Amino acid sequence: MSSVSSVNIDVYSEKASCERLLSVHRWTDKLLSFRTTRPAGYRFTAGQFARLGLEIDGQIVSRAYSITSAEQEDQVEYYAIVVPGGQFTTRLAALQPGDPVWVERLSYGFMTADRFVDGRHLWMLATGTGLGPYVSILQQPDVWQRFDELVIVHGVRQREELAYADKFEQLRQHARQQGWPARLQLLRCVTRDDALPDAPGWLAGRITTLLKEGRLEQAAGLPLSVEQTRVMACGNPEMVTEVRELLRERGMGPLRRTGGGQFVTEDYW
């Protein structure tokens, strides 16, 4: 994801629409989801991100945020971390419903599930707010009908940072009611909490360590294979880089525009 940038309001208004904040949900003191009105004609593919702008000292300061809402929703939801002292997120955290939020008319990013042309098992690895794109992806019916296995792996430091678990359960139940074939699993990976539940789906350690040791595959009951497995990795750049290396060691390659490949990645910071 690109860094914060600033621009003159008149210039920015040529490529963005002034929308309104509708609601804010605070997961922790540093993590929040928020909703805005949707710009007229705004289109995105699940897994993409948006660039948002806030007016600060007469300038528009913009930053990229993952979209967590479904493609067809009337509103747009985003998932964000508040950076202490950060120019954009400090202002974002203070917003109230009705306040203006600029939304650029174009959506961005290439980490979308429709880029995979084959495979039956979709693994979605994330650290922190890198989870956001998968919330959107899993609200698209075609993903549930195309893959047999869907595995969310969310890595955080403390268990209170685990967001959207209830949403995933709702989606699982809805898919069952619709008769869609895919099975969804949620693996929670926590690095700095010694009081984790002794239950399936809870793992202590970093995603990359668990992947290297084979513990992710063991927990999911699914082997990673070149033939059947397709992987998305989104989050901390160090995690993403190491995941790429580990997958290459297993004979997997990145998706190419010309076709082929088993994984796609995107850095969030």
Side-chain angles (χ1 to χ4, degrees):
M1 303 287 281
S2 56
S3 59
V4 173
S5 61
S6 62
V7 68
N8 178 273
I9 295 176
D10 291 337
V11 173
Y12 197 71
S13 65
E14 295 177 1
K15 65 175 182 179
S17 172
C18 187
E19 301 299 317
R20 296 291 169 179
L21 181 71
L22 295 173
S23 63
V24 178
H25 176 81
R26 300 183 185 278
W27 301 96
T28 70
D29 60 341
K30 295 181 180 179
L31 293 172
L32 56 85
S33 298
F34 60 100
R35 285 180 168 265
T36 70
T37 53
R38 183 168 182 160
Y42 184 71
R43 301 181 65 181
F44 69 92
T45 300
Q48 290 189 306
F49 59 90
R51 288 199 66 89
L52 308 180
L54 297 177
E55 183 178 349
I56 301 175
D57 298 329
Q59 292 282 102
I60 293 293
V61 177
S62 65
R63 197 181 191 285
Y65 283 105
S66 59
I67 301 171
T68 61
S69 48
E71 293 177 8
Q72 66 274 15
E73 283 189 67
D74 293 334
Q75 306 170 2
V76 189
E77 183 180 272
Y78 315 90
Y79 186 33
I81 183 170
V82 177
V83 179
Q87 184 183 25
F88 188 97
T89 55
T90 298
R91 178 63 61 90
L92 175 65
L95 291 182
Q96 299 296 320
D99 286 343
V101 178
W102 291 81
V103 180
E104 293 190 14
R105 297 185 181 93
L106 295 178
S107 52
Y108 303 89
F110 301 97
M111 201 185 71
T112 59
D114 59 3
R115 293 186 60 201
F116 292 113
V117 298
D118 56 9
R120 302 304 305 171
H121 306 163
L122 179 61
W123 287 69
M124 294 162 277
L125 314 183
T127 54
T129 55
L131 181 73
Y134 308 142
V135 181
S136 181
I137 287 170
L138 288 174
Q139 293 182 76
Q140 300 308 123
D142 59 304
V143 174
W144 293 83
Q145 298 174 63
R146 179 179 165 196
F147 293 96
D148 297 326
E149 301 282 351
L150 301 167
V151 184
I152 289 279
V153 183
H154 191 196
V156 297
R157 295 181 179 182
Q158 304 288 340
R159 59 185 296 182
E160 59 263 26
E161 299 168 7
L162 292 163
Y164 288 101
D166 290 344
K167 181 69 173 181
F168 293 138
E169 181 57 33
Q170 292 171 6
L171 291 170
R172 182 189 288 119
Q173 294 179 9
H174 179 70
R176 188 180 301 119
Q177 293 169 358
Q178 296 298 316
W180 296 336
R183 177 180 64 152
L184 173 64
Q185 297 188 65
L186 173 61
L187 303 182
R188 305 168 174 93
C189 307
V190 186
T191 60
R192 299 184 183 180
D193 195 327
D194 297 328
L196 297 182
D198 184 14
W202 289 87
L203 299 166
R206 297 168 62 241
I207 288 177
T208 49
T209 301
L210 298 169
L211 178 60
K212 187 182 305 182
E213 296 176 350
R215 292 167 60 192
L216 287 183
E217 294 163 273
Q218 182 180 13
L222 288 174
L224 295 175
S225 71
V226 174
E227 295 76 21
Q228 297 296 337
T229 305
R230 300 297 173 261
V231 181
M232 309 178 88
C234 183
N236 181 283
E238 293 182 4
M239 181 276 289
V240 170
T241 297
E242 191 170 353
V243 164
R244 290 193 198 106
E245 295 171 353
L246 291 171
L247 294 177
R248 284 192 175 100
E249 290 175 2
R250 291 168 175 258
M252 297 183 182
L255 280 176
R256 304 294 185 187
R257 291 187 178 182
T258 55
Q262 293 76 36
F263 65 83
V264 61
T265 64
E266 193 161 72
D267 294 343
Y268 270 46
W269 62 84

